[in-house]
Amino acid sequence: MLQEIEAVDWGAIPGHPDWYEPDRVARGLRALSDAANLVQAAEAGSQLAGGGIVHGHSAAVFPAAVLATPLLLDIARQGHPAARDTALGLIDEALSCYPHAGYTRLKAADGTEIPLCCAIALHLRARTEFLAGWGKRGRSLLADAAAHWRFEIRECVPEGDDTAAFGILSGHFPDDVHAAEMHHGGVITSLSEVTHEYRPAKGSLEACLRVIARHPRELPPGAVLFPAECGDRVH
């Protein structure tokens, strides 16, 4: 665990210079991974919540929270019960806090610059089995993560003036019509009206969304949609 923590250059991760303190991230994660009681876990948590991955007093989240989330999940799985509770609480806080203007996104490995909350949610869904096994706390985190859905377009067909987009949906696309942002080739395109054409069958991720007043050529295969409201989140 310590090797994974030290492998990240926390100082190279962008963050508001008046609030983000990268030294707190590595120090807090190390302390939390070694915590053996409630006091030690709380002290480590205060490092991470006081300018490390979030600034709790101002309810701000930093891009470092995205890289810290899988490490916190490992601590929750392997560490002391107090460390587990602290780690899950920090992730919950990071998911609900708002980023500062100019620090709302973090570039993924594929070059996609997605909102911090959506990136954190992806890490949580990758550990669904583990979190579901931790009872109410874990299931609550998964439910919160589901609101930060992701839809990858595989194929499109025209439906009158609209387009039916077939693809893979992770998370929960809400009822009614919603705005989305589409990511493709490093470009973000606003889609003002997206709704369900049909929902995934139980146990499947395959879904179909209707993109209103858009032609299939505007929605290329491989493009990824995220909630527009997540892209608008700012402290």
Side-chain angles (χ1 to χ4, degrees):
M1 173 60 66
L2 294 179
Q3 186 174 2
E4 287 83 356
I5 295 170
E6 300 300 333
V8 179
D9 184 357
W10 300 102
I13 300 172
H16 196 294
D18 294 334
W19 300 98
Y20 176 50
E21 300 179 54
D23 289 346
R24 284 179 172 264
V25 189
R27 190 163 61 241
L29 288 171
R30 285 195 301 267
L32 190 58
S33 67
D34 290 337
N37 54 53
L38 284 168
V39 172
Q40 291 174 351
E43 290 175 345
S46 68
Q47 289 284 330
L48 293 162
I53 64 171
V54 296
H55 187 266
H57 292 303
S58 60
V61 60
F62 307 124
V66 176
L67 280 77
T69 294
L71 298 172
L72 288 168
L73 288 169
D74 286 341
I75 291 171
R77 181 171 56 88
Q78 302 169 8
H80 187 276
R84 178 196 66 220
D85 292 342
T86 299
L88 295 181
L90 284 163
I91 296 171
D92 187 27
E93 190 171 1
L95 191 61
S96 61
C97 287
Y98 280 47
H100 292 106
Y103 304 94
T104 62
R105 299 170 184 268
L106 190 65
K107 184 176 289 188
D110 63 358
T112 305
E113 294 191 20
I114 67 174
L116 301 186
C117 54
C118 293
I120 292 170
L122 287 173
H123 286 306
L124 292 172
R125 285 197 289 272
R127 308 288 185 95
T128 294
E129 185 175 353
F130 161 68
L131 289 168
W134 281 113
K136 184 177 180 180
R137 187 69 175 275
R139 291 194 299 272
S140 177
L141 268 177
L142 287 172
D144 290 343
H148 305 274
W149 52 267
R150 177 187 189 274
F151 181 77
E152 182 178 347
I153 297 174
R154 297 291 176 84
E155 184 180 358
C156 290
V157 297
E159 287 285 343
D161 293 332
D162 306 332
T163 290
F166 298 86
I168 301 300
L169 175 67
S170 59
H172 175 73
F173 190 93
D175 295 330
D176 301 322
V177 178
H178 295 268
E181 57 178 46
M182 181 177 70
H183 295 244
H184 186 257
V187 176
I188 300 175
T189 303
S190 296
L191 304 176
S192 58
E193 296 180 290
V194 182
T195 189
H196 270 294
E197 184 71 3
Y198 65 77
R199 293 185 177 280
K202 186 175 182 180
S204 173
L205 297 178
E206 295 183 359
C208 181
L209 300 181
R210 178 181 285 266
V211 185
I212 298 171
R214 290 282 186 167
H215 191 274
R217 66 173 174 268
E218 299 178 85
L219 307 166
V224 179
L225 276 58
F226 295 97
E229 62 189 43
C230 292
D232 293 336
R233 286 165 63 104
V234 64
H235 194 274

XYZ file of all heavy atoms in Angstrom, residues 76-130:
413
model
N -9.860 0.613 3.020
C -11.123 0.142 3.600
C -11.197 -1.374 3.595
O -11.752 -1.985 4.518
C -12.301 0.730 2.820
N -10.648 -1.996 2.571
C -10.717 -3.458 2.457
C -9.706 -4.150 3.355
O -9.992 -5.196 3.933
C -10.475 -3.857 0.997
C -10.551 -5.351 0.723
C -10.512 -5.625 -0.776
N -9.346 -5.041 -1.401
C -8.168 -5.661 -1.496
N -8.006 -6.872 -0.974
N -7.152 -5.078 -2.092
N -8.524 -3.543 3.520
C -7.440 -4.227 4.212
C -7.191 -3.729 5.635
O -6.588 -4.439 6.439
C -6.134 -4.057 3.419
C -6.203 -4.573 1.995
C -4.995 -4.161 1.174
O -4.020 -3.603 1.694
N -5.038 -4.426 -0.123
N -7.618 -2.493 5.926
C -7.204 -1.858 7.171
C -8.076 -2.146 8.370
O -9.022 -2.952 8.322
N -7.767 -1.447 9.455
C -8.522 -1.529 10.700
C -9.957 -1.047 10.445
O -10.184 -0.194 9.584
C -7.827 -0.636 11.736
C -8.387 -0.740 13.116
N -9.497 -0.014 13.515
C -7.989 -1.472 14.189
C -9.756 -0.287 14.778
N -8.850 -1.171 15.215
N -10.951 -1.582 11.175
C -12.334 -1.122 10.985
C -12.497 0.388 11.092
O -13.290 0.986 10.352
C -13.096 -1.851 12.095
C -12.328 -3.122 12.286
C -10.885 -2.739 12.097
N -11.747 1.025 11.986
C -11.831 2.485 12.107
C -11.282 3.164 10.856
O -11.798 4.194 10.410
C -11.068 2.957 13.341
N -10.223 2.593 10.286
C -9.666 3.129 9.045
C -10.649 2.936 7.907
O -10.798 3.810 7.045
C -8.340 2.448 8.725
N -11.326 1.790 7.895
C -12.331 1.546 6.862
C -13.447 2.591 6.918
O -13.816 3.175 5.901
C -12.942 0.156 7.039
C -14.044 -0.181 6.026
C -14.851 -1.378 6.496
N -15.590 -1.060 7.687
C -15.746 -1.894 8.730
N -15.185 -3.085 8.731
N -16.453 -1.527 9.766
N -13.961 2.842 8.103
C -15.046 3.819 8.237
C -14.586 5.212 7.829
O -15.332 5.965 7.187
C -15.560 3.826 9.677
C -16.269 2.533 10.048
O -16.664 1.780 9.127
O -16.423 2.270 11.253
N -13.367 5.572 8.207
C -12.830 6.877 7.835
C -12.646 6.986 6.335
O -12.987 8.001 5.722
C -11.491 7.123 8.552
O -11.702 7.106 9.970
C -10.889 8.462 8.155
N -12.106 5.939 5.720
C -11.869 5.942 4.280
C -13.180 6.086 3.509
O -13.282 6.899 2.580
C -11.144 4.662 3.863
N -14.184 5.313 3.894
C -15.469 5.387 3.194
C -16.132 6.742 3.422
O -16.762 7.294 2.513
C -16.390 4.255 3.649
C -15.923 2.838 3.301
C -16.942 1.806 3.792
C -15.688 2.670 1.807
N -15.971 7.299 4.607
C -16.520 8.622 4.884
C -15.861 9.701 4.049
O -16.529 10.626 3.558
N -14.567 9.589 3.837
C -13.846 10.567 3.014
C -14.289 10.482 1.551
O -14.456 11.508 0.881
C -12.342 10.318 3.118
C -11.677 10.776 4.415
C -10.310 10.122 4.572
C -11.545 12.301 4.441
N -14.488 9.268 1.060
C -14.960 9.109 -0.314
C -16.355 9.700 -0.465
O -16.652 10.392 -1.449
C -14.954 7.623 -0.719
C -13.533 7.075 -0.723
C -15.590 7.453 -2.097
C -13.450 5.573 -0.900
N -17.204 9.444 0.509
C -18.553 9.998 0.489
C -18.501 11.524 0.447
O -19.234 12.170 -0.319
C -19.303 9.519 1.729
C -20.771 9.909 1.708
O -21.336 10.084 0.608
O -21.366 10.038 2.790
N -17.610 12.102 1.243
C -17.468 13.556 1.273
C -16.946 14.087 -0.060
O -17.434 15.090 -0.585
C -16.525 13.958 2.409
C -16.495 15.439 2.697
C -15.727 15.774 3.970
O -15.199 14.845 4.621
O -15.660 16.966 4.304
N -15.964 13.397 -0.628
C -15.396 13.829 -1.902
C -16.443 13.791 -3.009
O -16.481 14.674 -3.874
C -14.208 12.945 -2.270
N -17.303 12.781 -2.980
C -18.323 12.643 -4.021
C -19.376 13.742 -3.922
O -19.938 14.162 -4.936
C -18.983 11.268 -3.903
C -19.903 10.825 -5.044
C -19.147 10.756 -6.367
C -20.534 9.472 -4.715
N -19.627 14.227 -2.733
C -20.697 15.210 -2.539
C -20.207 16.657 -2.567
O -21.008 17.577 -2.769
C -21.424 14.950 -1.216
O -20.541 15.070 -0.116
N -18.910 16.884 -2.371
C -18.382 18.250 -2.381
C -18.246 18.783 -3.807
O -18.242 18.019 -4.770
C -17.021 18.294 -1.690
S -17.081 18.142 0.107
N -18.097 20.098 -3.927
C -17.982 20.745 -5.231
C -16.546 21.225 -5.456
O -15.905 21.716 -4.529
C -18.934 21.941 -5.312
C -20.367 21.568 -5.599
C -21.004 20.538 -4.912
C -21.105 22.254 -6.562
C -22.322 20.190 -5.175
C -22.426 21.914 -6.838
C -23.026 20.890 -6.135
O -24.323 20.546 -6.407
N -16.036 21.108 -6.677
C -14.672 21.566 -6.959
C -14.610 23.068 -7.199
O -15.615 23.706 -7.525
C -14.312 20.800 -8.234
C -15.629 20.611 -8.929
C -16.655 20.440 -7.837
N -13.410 23.621 -7.056
C -13.199 25.032 -7.376
C -13.172 25.233 -8.885
O -12.775 24.338 -9.640
C -11.870 25.525 -6.783
C -11.851 25.593 -5.305
N -11.167 24.678 -4.527
C -12.436 26.465 -4.432
C -11.321 24.998 -3.251
N -12.089 26.069 -3.169
N -13.571 26.411 -9.324
C -13.503 26.756 -10.738
C -12.073 26.601 -11.241
O -11.123 27.020 -10.585
C -13.981 28.196 -10.952
N -11.929 25.968 -12.399
C -10.611 25.725 -12.961
C -10.012 24.408 -12.547
O -8.976 23.985 -13.095
N -10.652 23.739 -11.591
C -10.144 22.453 -11.098
C -11.291 21.444 -10.985
O -11.373 20.681 -10.039
C -9.473 22.636 -9.736
C -8.365 23.662 -9.760
C -8.625 24.984 -9.406
C -7.080 23.320 -10.166
C -7.616 25.939 -9.448
C -6.074 24.267 -10.210
C -6.349 25.571 -9.852
O -5.349 26.510 -9.896
N -12.173 21.460 -11.981
C -13.389 20.655 -11.921
C -13.255 19.307 -12.607
O -14.146 18.473 -12.488
C -14.562 21.415 -12.565
O -14.251 21.645 -13.948
C -14.790 22.745 -11.867
N -12.144 19.105 -13.340
C -11.986 17.887 -14.123
C -10.574 17.333 -13.971
O -9.647 18.062 -13.606
C -12.267 18.150 -15.611
C -13.688 18.634 -15.885
C -13.860 19.102 -17.322
N -15.196 19.637 -17.542
C -16.225 18.924 -17.982
N -16.051 17.644 -18.271
N -17.415 19.473 -18.135
N -10.439 16.048 -14.284
C -9.123 15.421 -14.298
C -9.054 14.526 -15.527
O -9.985 13.766 -15.797
C -8.889 14.597 -13.029
C -7.460 14.095 -12.809
C -6.513 15.275 -12.584
C -7.391 13.158 -11.613
N -7.971 14.636 -16.279
C -7.841 13.878 -17.521
C -7.652 12.397 -17.228
O -6.771 11.999 -16.446
C -6.676 14.398 -18.348
C -6.527 13.732 -19.707
C -5.406 14.356 -20.516
C -5.779 15.752 -20.991
N -4.767 16.295 -21.936
N -8.475 11.569 -17.870
C -8.378 10.123 -17.718
C -7.304 9.578 -18.660
O -6.736 10.297 -19.489
C -9.724 9.482 -18.026
N -7.030 8.274 -18.549
C -5.987 7.652 -19.358
C -6.280 7.764 -20.849
O -5.356 7.835 -21.667
C -5.832 6.185 -18.963
N -7.568 7.792 -21.215
C -7.933 7.881 -22.632
C -8.007 9.326 -23.121
O -8.418 9.583 -24.257
C -9.266 7.179 -22.890
C -10.432 7.817 -22.139
O -10.209 8.789 -21.382
O -11.567 7.331 -22.302
N -7.612 10.269 -22.277
C -7.614 11.671 -22.654
C -8.902 12.402 -22.342
O -8.981 13.617 -22.495
N -9.909 11.674 -21.890
C -11.191 12.281 -21.558
C -11.084 13.068 -20.261
O -10.598 12.551 -19.260
C -12.279 11.197 -21.391
O -12.318 10.400 -22.570
C -13.638 11.814 -21.161
N -11.525 14.313 -20.283
C -11.502 15.149 -19.085
C -12.904 15.180 -18.495
O -13.736 16.000 -18.869
C -11.012 16.562 -19.423
C -9.567 16.594 -19.871
C -9.001 17.993 -19.953
O -9.578 18.909 -19.322
O -7.992 18.175 -20.636
N -13.155 14.260 -17.575
C -14.505 14.134 -17.036
C -14.596 14.824 -15.672
O -13.583 15.038 -15.005
C -14.932 12.658 -16.928
C -14.109 11.909 -15.875
C -14.786 11.968 -18.276
C -14.590 10.491 -15.647
N -15.796 15.184 -15.255
C -15.967 15.820 -13.944
C -15.439 14.920 -12.817
O -15.496 13.693 -12.901
C -17.490 15.993 -13.848
C -17.964 16.031 -15.264
C -17.063 15.090 -16.001
N -14.928 15.562 -11.774
C -14.336 14.814 -10.662
C -15.316 13.815 -10.068
O -14.956 12.668 -9.765
C -13.860 15.777 -9.569
C -12.822 16.832 -9.954
C -12.374 17.601 -8.717
C -11.632 16.208 -10.671
N -16.579 14.235 -9.883
C -17.561 13.345 -9.259
C -17.782 12.099 -10.099
O -17.916 10.983 -9.563
C -18.868 14.082 -9.003
S -19.567 14.901 -10.459
N -17.805 12.254 -11.434
C -18.008 11.104 -12.311
C -16.805 10.167 -12.277
O -16.953 8.941 -12.335
C -18.280 11.568 -13.732
S -19.856 12.437 -13.938
N -15.606 10.727 -12.174
C -14.395 9.905 -12.092
C -14.358 9.116 -10.787
O -13.977 7.938 -10.769
C -13.160 10.793 -12.212
N -14.757 9.738 -9.690
C -14.833 9.036 -8.402
C -15.869 7.926 -8.471
O -15.649 6.800 -7.994
C -15.158 10.027 -7.274
C -13.983 10.991 -7.050
C -15.482 9.292 -5.979
C -14.293 12.152 -6.121
N -17.013 8.217 -9.104
C -18.079 7.222 -9.226
C -17.615 5.998 -10.013
O -17.996 4.865 -9.695
C -19.302 7.847 -9.876
N -16.791 6.208 -11.039
C -16.280 5.077 -11.810
C -15.448 4.152 -10.936
O -15.535 2.921 -11.050
C -15.441 5.593 -12.984
C -16.202 6.230 -14.140
C -15.230 6.840 -15.146
C -17.102 5.217 -14.832
N -14.623 4.703 -10.064
C -13.829 3.882 -9.141
C -14.738 3.090 -8.195
O -14.460 1.927 -7.873
C -12.891 4.763 -8.321
C -11.707 5.282 -9.083
N -10.841 4.460 -9.771
C -11.243 6.552 -9.247
C -9.890 5.188 -10.331
N -10.109 6.450 -10.029
N -15.803 3.720 -7.746
C -16.713 3.034 -6.833
C -17.419 1.876 -7.526
O -17.550 0.786 -6.969
C -17.735 4.025 -6.272
C -17.170 5.084 -5.327
C -18.235 6.120 -4.983
C -16.649 4.435 -4.048
N -17.886 2.107 -8.751
C -18.574 1.028 -9.460
C -17.633 -0.127 -9.782
O -18.067 -1.275 -9.903
C -19.217 1.574 -10.735
C -20.478 2.377 -10.451
C -21.324 2.553 -11.699
N -20.730 3.452 -12.664
C -20.918 4.770 -12.662
N -21.676 5.343 -11.729
N -20.363 5.523 -13.590
N -16.333 0.169 -9.905
C -15.358 -0.893 -10.149
C -15.198 -1.803 -8.930
O -14.672 -2.916 -9.053
C -14.006 -0.295 -10.534
N -15.647 -1.336 -7.771
C -15.563 -2.133 -6.536
C -16.966 -2.458 -6.006
O -17.181 -2.526 -4.793
C -14.795 -1.356 -5.462
C -13.435 -0.825 -5.880
C -12.387 -1.903 -6.021
N -11.081 -1.319 -6.312
C -10.168 -1.035 -5.396
N -10.413 -1.306 -4.122
N -9.011 -0.497 -5.729
N -17.904 -2.664 -6.905
C -19.295 -2.885 -6.503
C -19.437 -4.050 -5.538
O -20.131 -3.944 -4.509
C -20.171 -3.132 -7.752
O -20.207 -1.935 -8.531
C -21.590 -3.507 -7.350
N -18.803 -5.150 -5.841
C -18.956 -6.343 -4.994
C -18.462 -6.073 -3.581
O -19.121 -6.438 -2.600
C -18.199 -7.519 -5.609
C -18.404 -8.831 -4.864
C -17.737 -10.006 -5.559
O -17.225 -9.829 -6.685
O -17.724 -11.097 -4.971
N -17.310 -5.432 -3.469
C -16.767 -5.120 -2.148
C -17.688 -4.190 -1.373
O -18.034 -4.445 -0.218
C -15.382 -4.485 -2.292
C -14.919 -3.721 -1.082
C -14.611 -4.371 0.099
C -14.811 -2.336 -1.127
C -14.202 -3.659 1.220
C -14.401 -1.619 -0.016
C -14.100 -2.290 1.166
